[in-house]
Amino acid sequence: MDTIGDKRSWTDAQLRKAVENNSSWRAVARALGLKDTSAGVVRTIKRHALRLELDSGHFTGQRRWTDGQLRQALLGSTCWSEVFASLGISDSGQDRVRIKGHAVRLELDCSHLKTPHRASMTGEMFDLPVQPEMLSAAAPGIAMAWFAMRGCAVALPVEPQLYDLLVTTADGVQRVQIKTSVRPNGKGRWSVGVGRRPYALDKSAGKMPYDPDSLDLFFIVLGDGSIYVIPSSVLAGRTGIYVDTYLPYRVGDAAGLIAG
């Protein structure tokens, strides 16, 4: 069994073969007949792989590139854009941070990568297309501006909270939850989720309504720029709505910010 003081159901030879034939530690665990969702299991097989000096450079996990491909991309590139092109992935902010972080963990030399000199980006900035999928990221800024322009002090809560903003109004401090909908459904109606996922590791868990006592207002921004501010008591018990049934709560339009 080639064990070192601990009980295992697999041998070193089986671990070598599993590491050679798979591309992630979870896949190795499955190949050994172990529970791949157990952090303890993964730590154990990593420890024994380190003892056996097994090469895991071909592992990708959820990535589409290996450590070896990243090394080669860095060696043959002069800037990060070339690294992305070499790996065959788009140069997005999220991927850039992830790949830079991975390179740092691997202790790869990135000092030769330069940012190409750009004489002026002003024209290009104004020509950048609107990305509808970024609405949820932009919505808090829209909400803060909307309330601030009406003389309401706005604050961000200390996480974690069920609300996104604290807004001081004439009626006192209001707890605001921000929701968005990028585009209408096939029937032309704007559907907005106004529920929340319970605090559980299972991301497939169904959504549940917010407790109306935990929120005061829903601030809703649609992909066409429409803004709705709806009291939580009006939406109590709901996890989804069609906003066209709440037209009295339509309070503004941010189309100038969202339009392409």
Side-chain angles (χ1 to χ4, degrees), residues 159-189:
E159 297 291 352
Q161 296 290 349
L162 291 178
Y163 45 87
D164 298 312
L165 295 178
L166 288 169
V167 179
T168 302
T169 71
D171 297 324
V173 176
Q174 304 290 300
R175 298 159 298 176
V176 181
Q177 170 62 223
I178 300 170
K179 298 294 183 182
T180 61
S181 180
V182 174
R183 55 183 60 87
N185 62 19
K187 296 182 180 180
R189 302 190 71 186

Side-chain angles (χ1 to χ4, degrees), residues 97-118:
V97 170
R98 182 180 296 114
I99 290 178
K100 281 186 176 181
H102 201 79
V104 169
R105 288 196 300 275
L106 295 176
E107 299 183 351
L108 302 180
D109 181 15
C110 305
S111 61
H112 63 288
L113 299 179
K114 307 297 182 182
T115 301
H117 177 68
R118 309 288 291 273

Side-chain angles (χ1 to χ4, degrees), residues 57 60 64-74 83 86-87:
T60 61
R64 301 191 299 275
W65 41 269
T66 66
D67 292 352
Q69 288 172 325
L70 177 57
R71 287 189 179 92
Q72 290 301 315
L74 287 170
V83 173
S86 179
L87 294 175

Side-chain angles (χ1 to χ4, degrees), residues 53 56 64 67 70-71 123 127 140 144 160 170 189 194 200 243 252:
E53 298 182 351
S56 60
R64 301 191 299 275
D67 292 352
L70 177 57
R71 287 189 179 92
D127 291 337
M144 294 174 73
R189 302 190 71 186
V194 292
V243 292

Side-chain angles (χ1 to χ4, degrees), residues 197-213:
R197 209 175 297 282
Y199 292 118
L201 295 178
D202 183 6
K203 297 300 182 182
S204 64
K207 291 190 175 182
M208 59 184 291
Y210 284 93
D211 181 343
D213 289 333

Side-chain angles (χ1 to χ4, degrees), residues 118-156:
R118 309 288 291 273
S120 175
M121 291 185 60
T122 304
E124 294 178 14
M125 182 63 70
F126 285 119
D127 291 337
L128 289 176
V130 168
Q131 301 178 46
E133 66 275 11
M134 297 303 295
L135 180 59
S136 60
I142 295 173
M144 294 174 73
W146 190 88
F147 284 109
M149 289 297 293
R150 285 155 181 78
C152 301
V154 182
L156 294 171

